[in-house]
Amino acid sequence: MAFPQSFLDELAARNDILDVVGSYVSLQPKGGSYWGCCPFHNEKTPSFHVLQDKQYYHCFGCKKGGGVINFIMDIENLSYPDAVRFLAKRVNMPVPEDRESDGADRLRHRLLDLNRDAARYYYEVLQSPDGAAVQAYLNRRQIRRGIAVRFGMGAARDGWDHLLRAMTEKGYTKQELLKAGLIVQNKSGGFYDKFRNRLILPVVDVRGDVVGFGSRVIDKSEPKYMNTSETPVYSKRRVLYGLNLAKKTKRPNIILCEGNLDVVTLHQAGFDNAVASMGTALTVEQTRLLSRYTKELILCYDNDNAGQLATQRALDILKNSEFTVRVLQLPRRLVDGSYIKQDADDFIKFQGPQAFERLLSGSENGIEFRMSQVAAKYDLKNDADRIAYAAEISQILCTLDSAVEREIYTVRAAEVAGLTPEAMRNEVSRTYSKQKRKEHWAETRREMNPVATLQPQARAFRYANLRSAMAEEGVIRLMMRDDDLYDKLCVLRPEEFSSPLLGKIYSLLCADREAGRPHSMAALGGILSPEEMSHFTAILQKPESVSGAEQALSDYIRIIREEADRQIGGDELDPLLAAQEKYKFKKGYGGKNL
């Protein structure tokens, strides 16, 4: 174990899980525990469960779970050692030297130091005569010096190894530069700078660390934009450009843009709530990050086909979230008799901040955007197109949870298509009923498959012997709820468990008991992977009565032994699997894979 057990116990005691989770999630007491909307996936109905007496959390929706350290690992995207340090800093606890910390943790800190020094180097180049070409480009883009400084902009010189030489002089190795994505290795084994003759835009996370870089050429060369590839400290799915600044905004919402320079221009114009994803569509991980700072998002993507698709994808991701979502559609600009697309940067330059503010105030909500997109596909003076429009729009309207919303937008859709409200209501009602029947049939099929309902979601943890695994889960639950049962478990060995993961958890709990220490979620979080911890908490959520625990334990041990003997004897037919096959045959499903 990297950290002493005594230190982890004190750390967990001083970081009560209810206080820590409550600083990120709005929790309400219910039935002796606390519930809220999960910060790890989008939902409107709370399924995130925090048990203060047991000091762990579990989400019944996405199945994530663990102790207080696991929560910080997930919510802050930190390694286990860094999450420990994060919590220690929170309560002003000194952290003992981590002698067993592996190289991955040390590498992470080394790469963050390297990125910081590289950002300083690029910044200094921009301020020097060598940065004149990039500075001229910024002037053409009307980006003021103050805003460039605020975003830490820099310049990469036009040469093959300027950064490489500067960083190796500071003591960094070529392998570290390679791992940070700052240099590239050629076919002959040589190295050269990845970013050359470019404007550099450091990517700073919400903790203030430089995790990567974005860049743009200042001439006509390709590729126009180039970002840091995935590294041990940078994942484009988990970061938003400009959020380190936008999180401080006084505005009530956050604007999502496509490009880094859109963000810069908007901040310069007074819209300091703008952020952008790093060369990727909006991700669930980014929405989790945003949920810490706002509950209202405004999508402001480019008005070309790619931008419209990006808006649709973002709306799909945000569909069942707590966010209020609006869409700001930028109008096309008339140039020499033709209308051309424009992004936020163009709009601010040609129409000004006041015009953007008016657009912002009049932006439409997500359902209005979807409806306008569907209407644009059809000629609503043509009867066949009106019928097709009604069919497609009803697919969207029937997803609205609120009956009032369905009614309002159904009437509006009828007006657009020139249909009577009653006809459109009937179409929406028919589509809604059809969808509900489809969902009911899918649920029925799941219920007809007992194996699927009992198996873990993660394929890596699937049980080879369900009957034994259900008993093994019961043993673990009883161990966590009644330490006095340990003496009766001496006959059971981890090797007898059919599930390697359950055997591993059992052996860890036994080790705690033999050492005379209480079971600690904080310590287990350093041994079990996040996925293993989530499965562990899922097991603990299942019902298990402590009354009659001795008899239940005896039955569990007997079943585990029977199944272990069955495997040794060569009879590998799991009774639960056999029951499923018999059930399917009786119902006439034959060999169908339900």
Side-chain angles (χ1 to χ4, degrees):
M1 188 181 301
F3 297 100
Q5 173 87 35
S6 57
F7 165 75
L8 292 173
D9 288 343
E10 183 181 355
L11 181 76
R14 292 170 65 174
N15 285 280
D16 185 272
I17 195 164
L18 189 61
D19 294 336
V20 174
V21 174
S23 66
Y24 296 89
V25 181
S26 178
L27 297 170
Q28 300 298 324
K30 179 183 175 183
S33 56
Y34 294 81
W35 295 81
C37 287
C38 180
F40 304 124
H41 79 286
N42 295 325
E43 63 177 8
K44 291 183 179 178
T45 303
S47 63
F48 185 79
H49 188 202
V50 179
L51 295 92
Q52 187 176 23
D53 56 338
K54 301 293 195 325
Q55 288 294 298
Y56 72 84
Y57 67 93
H58 181 77
C59 176
F60 288 92
C62 67
K63 310 302 180 187
K64 279 187 177 290
V68 67
I69 298 175
N70 294 100
F71 180 81
I72 292 298
M73 288 170 66
D74 274 332
I75 200 77
E76 293 287 349
N77 188 28
L78 296 174
S79 65
Y80 179 81
D82 280 346
V84 168
R85 296 186 184 98
F86 180 98
L87 289 170
K89 183 179 180 181
R90 180 179 181 270
V91 293
N92 297 316
M93 274 183 70
V95 180
E97 184 182 353
D98 181 10
R99 293 188 177 89
E100 295 181 31
S101 177
D102 61 16
D105 188 40
R106 289 192 296 273
L107 176 63
R108 177 181 172 83
H109 286 281
R110 184 71 173 165
L111 296 186
L112 289 175
D113 289 343
L114 171 55
N115 281 343
R116 180 199 61 215
D117 287 339
R120 287 174 178 169
Y121 167 80
Y122 288 133
Y123 177 82
E124 289 167 1
V125 171
L126 180 59
Q127 310 310 313
S128 74
D130 287 330
V134 173
Q135 184 58 60
Y137 173 78
L138 292 176
N139 293 340
R140 292 196 301 274
R141 296 291 298 250
Q142 301 174 33
I143 295 172
R144 297 192 296 269
R145 179 181 175 83
I147 202 73
V149 170
R150 187 186 307 173
F151 280 89
M153 292 184 190
R157 295 163 66 185
D158 188 8
W160 288 102
D161 61 354
H162 293 295
L163 178 78
L164 172 59
R165 287 189 282 112
M167 293 300 104
T168 51
E169 285 173 8
K170 281 185 169 289
Y172 296 104
T173 67
K174 291 177 181 177
Q175 285 304 311
E176 287 171 336
L177 283 155
L178 196 61
K179 283 185 168 59
L182 290 168
I183 62 173
V184 178
Q185 187 170 21
N186 61 29
K187 293 179 180 178
S188 61
F191 298 93
Y192 58 91
D193 293 350
K194 177 171 182 172
F195 303 114
R196 304 181 308 282
N197 196 31
R198 286 175 173 269
L199 167 66
I200 300 295
L201 302 113
V203 181
V204 182
D205 68 11
V206 292
R207 292 185 296 276
D209 291 323
V210 180
V211 293
F213 297 90
S215 73
R216 192 197 191 284
V217 294
I218 57 175
D219 52 25
K220 300 294 184 180
S221 58
E222 294 290 340
K224 182 185 292 187
Y225 298 100
M226 183 186 291
N227 299 329
T228 299
S229 53
E230 299 283 310
T231 74
V233 298
Y234 174 73
S235 171
K236 64 183 180 182
R237 297 181 61 83
R238 297 175 176 271
V239 68
L240 287 157
Y241 181 74
L243 187 57
N244 60 309
L245 300 174
K247 70 177 185 177
K248 304 168 188 174
T249 185
K250 296 295 192 293
R251 288 178 176 265
N253 45 45
I254 285 180
I255 303 171
L256 275 168
C257 305
E258 277 193 53
N260 298 9
L261 290 177
D262 291 334
V263 172
V264 172
T265 300
L266 284 170
H267 276 249
Q268 181 171 271
F271 302 95
D272 63 349
N273 55 335
V275 302
S277 52
M278 295 295 299
T280 183
L282 182 68
T283 66
V284 173
E285 291 87 349
Q286 289 165 346
T287 65
R288 295 175 196 161
L289 196 56
L290 288 165
S291 68
R292 301 186 210 170
Y293 306 107
T294 188
K295 292 304 177 189
E296 182 181 349
L297 297 177
I298 297 175
L299 306 180
C300 181
Y301 294 135
D302 297 354
N303 57 6
D304 57 8
N305 290 336
Q308 299 299 309
L309 287 172
T311 301
Q312 291 280 9
R313 285 195 295 267
L315 288 173
D316 288 339
I317 288 175
L318 296 165
K319 183 168 54 180
N320 295 316
S321 71
E322 291 181 283
F323 291 104
T324 298
V325 183
R326 291 191 285 142
V327 179
L328 192 159
Q329 294 199 73
L330 296 166
R332 290 178 176 263
R333 183 162 55 93
L334 182 62
V335 177
D336 297 330
S338 300
Y339 285 94
I340 64 169
K341 71 180 185 68
Q342 60 182 338
D343 53 24
D345 179 58
D346 294 327
F347 188 90
I348 291 289
K349 285 184 174 64
F350 292 103
Q351 273 76 43
Q354 293 77 21
F356 189 84
E357 189 76 70
R358 288 193 295 273
L359 271 184
L360 199 60
S361 301
S363 55
E364 56 194 3
N365 64 34
I367 185 65
E368 289 170 334
F369 171 80
R370 287 177 180 273
M371 289 176 68
S372 65
Q373 293 298 107
V374 173
K377 292 165 59 177
Y378 297 99
D379 175 6
L380 296 179
K381 294 180 181 179
N382 178 284
D383 288 345
D385 276 15
R386 291 165 71 201
I387 294 169
Y389 167 81
E392 184 171 350
I393 205 71
S394 67
Q395 295 281 352
I396 294 173
L397 295 174
C398 76
T399 63
L400 297 174
D401 294 327
S402 166
V404 174
E405 274 191 297
R406 280 201 305 276
E407 172 65 15
I408 289 171
Y409 292 114
T410 296
V411 172
R412 192 170 299 176
E415 291 172 354
V416 169
L419 300 170
T420 65
E422 187 61 32
M424 187 60 78
R425 286 191 196 101
N426 289 339
E427 183 68 16
V428 172
S429 178
R430 185 184 66 80
T431 306
Y432 183 80
S433 298
K434 183 179 179 181
Q435 183 64 29
K436 288 299 176 185
R437 286 195 300 272
K438 185 177 178 181
E439 292 172 2
H440 175 72
W441 174 238
E443 182 64 28
T444 301
R445 289 181 65 181
R446 284 193 294 270
E447 291 174 355
M448 286 179 178
N449 189 349
V451 173
T453 58
L454 293 173
Q455 285 283 17
Q457 273 196 340
R459 189 171 296 277
F461 304 148
R462 294 289 168 88
Y463 297 143
N465 186 313
L466 272 173
R467 183 170 183 256
S468 181
M470 293 301 100
E472 293 158 22
E473 286 187 358
V475 167
I476 289 170
R477 279 192 296 273
L478 288 174
M479 286 184 74
M480 288 294 292
R481 296 177 189 185
D482 190 349
D483 277 344
D484 293 337
L485 294 173
Y486 176 74
D487 293 338
K488 296 178 175 58
L489 282 165
C490 294
V491 295
L492 194 60
R493 293 173 292 108
E495 304 85 67
E496 295 178 276
F497 279 51
S498 65
S499 163
L501 174 57
L502 299 183
K504 178 181 178 180
I505 294 172
Y506 173 73
S507 64
L508 290 172
L509 298 180
C510 286
D512 284 341
R513 189 64 179 81
E514 288 167 4
R517 58 178 179 250
H519 304 310
S520 166
M521 284 289 184
L524 288 171
I527 302 170
L528 299 175
S529 71
E531 294 77 17
E532 290 172 336
M533 281 295 288
S534 294
H535 186 56
F536 181 33
T537 59
I539 292 169
L540 299 181
Q541 292 295 303
K542 295 181 181 180
E544 188 73 52
S545 175
V546 288
S547 61
E550 290 191 17
Q551 181 59 50
L553 183 62
S554 176
D555 290 340
Y556 289 148
I557 293 173
R558 174 180 54 78
I559 291 169
I560 292 169
R561 287 278 175 80
E562 285 177 0
E563 292 306 309
D565 290 344
R566 192 191 304 274
Q567 296 289 342
I568 293 171
D571 182 2
E572 298 186 2
L573 183 60
D574 184 336
L576 276 178
L577 289 170
Q580 181 204 21
E581 294 302 319
K582 181 178 178 181
Y583 177 81
K584 289 195 298 188
F585 182 79
K586 284 179 65 179
K587 290 293 182 182
Y589 292 108
K592 290 182 181 177
N593 183 19
L594 298 179

